[in-house]
Amino acid sequence: MSAATVSPDTVRAVEAVLFAATDAMGVDAIRSYVEGDVRAALAQLSADYAGRGVQLVERGGRWHFQTAPDLAHVLRRDREEVRRLSRAGIETLAIIAYHEPVTRAEIEAIRGVQTAKGTLDVLMEAGWVRPAGRREVPGRPLTFATTPEFLTHFGLSSRRDLPGIEDLRAAGLLDPVDLAFGQLSAEAEAEDDGGDDDDEEDAA
């Protein structure tokens, strides 16, 4: 069944479920409330809301309504306090995004320095990182992965949309001699030239 022929009642029901939801919902979760072709209804709603003040978007396989990005300034009444991640936080978040699931020890091996517990706490409080279970090796270390909120915040549909190393360099976001970022590619091998001596550990 195509989006053009999906039942109007199904479309309205999916719209109501998503509107009432407090969190983004996957197709299976929506199906627990709505009968019919949910995927076709989502496609229809996405088209219906395109270009409007509220849009239906999909991030990491989950759907939710959000304000159109170009209208954010209309709703922003108070001056926002900008909180910047420390260098340690940025590097840790990037390593997790490119290598997840990853343990703290693996993060430290890539960065070349110890990672303070507070750094991971800040990323989890922001809703960008979550515990992802324990690795079945001696000691069963806890692993970490990114969240759907991470994808939403950075405007990504999935981790496949993460830029490659060359893309980061071309955009001026990567220092060619910066070891920490130079190792983010899954294919890159760890190198150690002592370039992290100035970053024993930033405050989270």
Side-chain angles (χ1 to χ4, degrees), residues 26-76:
V27 173
D28 289 340
I30 298 172
R31 283 184 179 137
S32 67
Y33 294 92
V34 180
E35 295 182 355
D37 193 337
V38 170
R39 290 190 182 278
L42 288 167
Q44 179 67 57
L45 284 170
S46 182
D48 290 347
Y49 278 91
R52 297 174 61 178
V54 174
Q55 298 175 350
L56 179 62
V57 298
E58 181 264 337
R59 304 290 187 203
R62 305 202 312 176
W63 295 79
H64 71 280
F65 285 108
Q66 69 175 28
T67 305
D70 62 316
L71 296 180
H73 68 284
V74 176
L75 305 177
R76 188 179 297 119

Side-chain angles (χ1 to χ4, degrees), residues 126-149:
W128 296 341
V129 169
R130 62 178 174 83
R134 296 187 178 276
R135 185 153 292 164
E136 295 301 327
V137 297
R140 302 188 69 239
L142 186 65
T143 63
F144 298 91
T146 54
T147 65
E149 288 74 17

Side-chain angles (χ1 to χ4, degrees), residues 12-197:
R12 293 179 64 240
V14 170
E15 182 179 26
V17 168
L18 287 174
F19 181 80
T22 56
D23 297 304
M25 299 181 67
V27 173
D28 289 340
I30 298 172
R31 283 184 179 137
S32 67
Y33 294 92
V34 180
E35 295 182 355
D37 193 337
V38 170
R39 290 190 182 278
L42 288 167
Q44 179 67 57
L45 284 170
S46 182
D48 290 347
Y49 278 91
R52 297 174 61 178
V54 174
Q55 298 175 350
L56 179 62
V57 298
E58 181 264 337
R59 304 290 187 203
R62 305 202 312 176
W63 295 79
H64 71 280
F65 285 108
Q66 69 175 28
T67 305
D70 62 316
L71 296 180
H73 68 284
V74 176
L75 305 177
R76 188 179 297 119
R77 293 179 178 271
D78 300 323
R79 182 172 181 176
E80 294 182 351
E81 178 184 356
V82 177
R83 296 183 61 191
R84 297 186 181 277
L85 282 177
S86 65
R87 174 178 173 179
I90 294 172
E91 291 176 0
T92 300
L93 178 60
I95 291 168
I96 293 172
Y98 280 88
H99 293 278
E100 65 181 74
V102 61
T103 67
R104 178 174 172 176
E106 290 165 344
I107 294 171
E108 293 174 345
I110 293 174
R111 291 191 63 226
V113 293
Q114 289 187 343
T115 298
K117 181 179 183 297
T119 300
L120 288 168
D121 288 343
V122 166
L123 296 176
M124 287 191 284
E125 287 172 5
W128 296 341
V129 169
R130 62 178 174 83
R134 296 187 178 276
R135 185 153 292 164
E136 295 301 327
V137 297
R140 302 188 69 239
L142 186 65
T143 63
F144 298 91
T146 54
T147 65
E149 288 74 17
F150 166 80
L151 298 176
T152 298
H153 183 84
F154 290 98
L156 304 171
S157 294
S158 72
R159 289 178 56 244
R160 289 190 296 272
D161 295 331
L162 286 168
I165 295 299
E166 294 306 320
D167 294 327
L168 294 174
R169 287 199 180 107
L173 300 176
L174 181 66
D175 184 343
V177 299
D178 189 328
L179 280 181
F181 282 98
Q183 297 178 36
L184 293 180
S185 171
E187 294 78 21
E189 294 183 356
E191 298 177 0
D192 184 10
D193 65 357
D196 256 344
D197 290 343

